[in-house]
Amino acid sequence: MSSAAAVPRPDTSGAGPIPNLKLSDGNEIPMLGYGLGTANFKRGNKAAFNQQIVDNTVMAIKNGYYHLDGAEAYGNEEELGAAIKAAGVARSKLFVTAKTSCRAGESVETAFARSLERLGLEYVDLYLIHNPFWAVADAAPEVYQRKWAEMEAIKASGRARSVGVSNYLVSHLEAILAAAPRHPPVVNQVEYHPYLQHDADGDAGLLDYCRRHGIAVEAYAPLAAITRAAPGPCDAVYDRLARKYGVPASDVALRWCLDQDIVTLTTSSSAERLQGVLARLPTFTLAPDEIREIADAGRLKHYRGFWTAKFAADDRR
């Protein structure tokens, strides 16, 4: 699992104009997904059923977004399950992700069984540990290894086709891989955009580490440089490339991730926007020098939108 040959690559045999990515366990993940976090995150009374989340998700599915990224922490697994049922799309066509928060004193099996019940599903396509912060900062590798052994059991049961992690840094991944697991994580879902490239000085970089170990990188908040961190040094580059390709700047931001073979999540309650993204993204790709130009501009600013309490202000890991 440590050779360059293990790096996941897009498999253009996948249905639709945006290819699938073949994971190191042989399964495939659609490279563009619809996120149930951020705009669909349930706030306030999480026990109250939210029909708007169902409607948003049904709309996304019917517009071709078959990769659905959920998590117990979002508080909307029941709504996601209802949307899957209401959309009328065959389960075999959908790629459903769930995540465990690793609550204190609770096994992964308990959390997973609860998620399946809420979703109304017999299996998920991808199950992730949502973050590494359930453990104390100086936890021994064995702590992460024991938790990962529970994930392997879920994978072995067949109720999760693939297993992975989210928000894990190199040190957390090293702890897992040091135990030579039978089923290593195949995905690491992280906040990723030009202002957070996880390439801190003096470190080989999280993306490089994942790729060398056959772990696909999945980006959430790929539009952060536009939606959360503007103005910034990427604005002019995005705008110029948007004019060149005749697309919105947000499409350039999504394409920047996809063209680096990074699975990319987006979300919206607008059918028009979601339809437009699927229609436009297949019409262009960024040249290698354009990908580098955006990356170079991004390194002039640092911004992290999530888990900020866990990192120093200048921590670029």
Side-chain angles (χ1 to χ4, degrees):
M1 292 297 297
S2 61
S3 69
V7 175
R9 299 293 298 178
D11 181 352
T12 54
S13 66
I18 298 174
N20 291 347
L21 186 77
K22 181 165 281 189
L23 301 172
S24 58
D25 64 0
N27 294 321
E28 295 182 7
I29 182 172
M31 289 197 69
L32 186 67
Y34 182 77
L36 272 292
T38 56
N40 288 306
F41 188 97
K42 189 188 287 184
R43 294 169 175 82
N45 181 9
K46 292 192 175 184
F49 190 82
N50 188 321
Q51 184 62 41
Q52 186 59 56
I53 295 174
V54 178
D55 295 344
N56 290 347
T57 308
V58 169
M59 177 269 296
I61 295 171
K62 289 188 173 181
N63 279 288
Y65 288 78
Y66 291 170
H67 174 179
L68 306 168
D69 182 75
E72 64 174 343
Y74 302 159
N76 55 22
E77 288 181 317
E78 187 179 356
E79 285 84 354
L80 173 54
I84 290 170
K85 184 176 181 179
V89 173
R91 173 67 182 92
S92 60
K93 292 185 177 181
L94 300 176
F95 187 100
V96 180
T97 298
K99 307 181 189 78
T100 175
S101 299
C102 294
R103 299 176 182 175
E106 181 176 85
S107 69
V108 171
E109 172 60 37
T110 297
F112 182 69
R114 183 173 59 239
S115 288
L116 281 187
E117 182 178 6
R118 288 173 174 168
L119 292 165
L121 300 177
E122 295 182 354
Y123 72 94
V124 296
D125 299 273
L126 179 63
Y127 194 51
L128 306 178
I129 296 178
H130 203 154
N131 68 79
F133 307 122
W134 50 268
V136 297
D138 58 349
E142 292 79 9
V143 174
Y144 297 102
Q145 292 165 4
R146 286 194 295 269
K147 188 62 68 175
W148 186 252
E150 296 182 62
M151 293 290 287
E152 289 190 282
I154 299 294
K155 161 78 172 176
S157 76
R159 293 171 297 157
R161 302 288 171 85
S162 298
V163 287
V165 296
S166 181
N167 299 297
Y168 270 46
L169 303 178
V170 170
S171 60
H172 305 125
L173 295 171
E174 286 177 334
I176 294 175
L177 297 180
R182 180 180 178 187
H183 300 294
V186 297
V187 166
N188 187 16
Q189 184 185 115
V190 297
E191 179 181 352
Y192 184 76
H193 48 78
Y195 299 149
L196 184 59
Q197 298 181 50
H198 302 280
D199 55 355
D201 291 341
D203 188 89
L206 179 61
L207 270 66
D208 179 67
Y209 182 89
C210 287
R211 286 165 170 159
R212 287 189 287 109
H213 291 83
I215 302 171
V217 177
E218 184 172 6
Y220 68 83
L223 303 182
I226 296 172
T227 60
R228 291 171 172 262
C234 282
D235 295 356
V237 184
Y238 277 158
D239 290 345
R240 178 170 51 78
L241 293 175
R243 291 193 299 272
K244 173 182 176 180
Y245 292 110
V247 299
S250 57
D251 286 1
V252 175
L254 294 176
R255 194 77 249 184
W256 182 72
C257 293
L258 292 170
D259 288 345
Q260 296 179 78
D261 301 338
I262 294 173
V263 178
T264 305
L265 299 175
T266 191
T267 192
S268 178
S269 59
S270 166
E272 182 179 5
R273 177 185 178 271
L274 292 178
Q275 292 165 0
V277 168
L278 280 186
R280 292 186 301 265
L281 285 184
T283 67
F284 74 104
T285 58
L286 298 176
D289 63 321
E290 294 169 338
I291 295 172
R292 287 192 297 270
E293 184 180 9
I294 293 172
D296 290 344
R299 292 188 182 99
L300 299 176
K301 178 174 180 173
H302 173 60
Y303 174 83
R304 187 189 299 272
F306 298 87
W307 304 102
T308 54
K310 303 296 182 180
F311 296 90
D314 60 348
D315 191 333
R316 295 174 179 248
R317 290 178 298 165

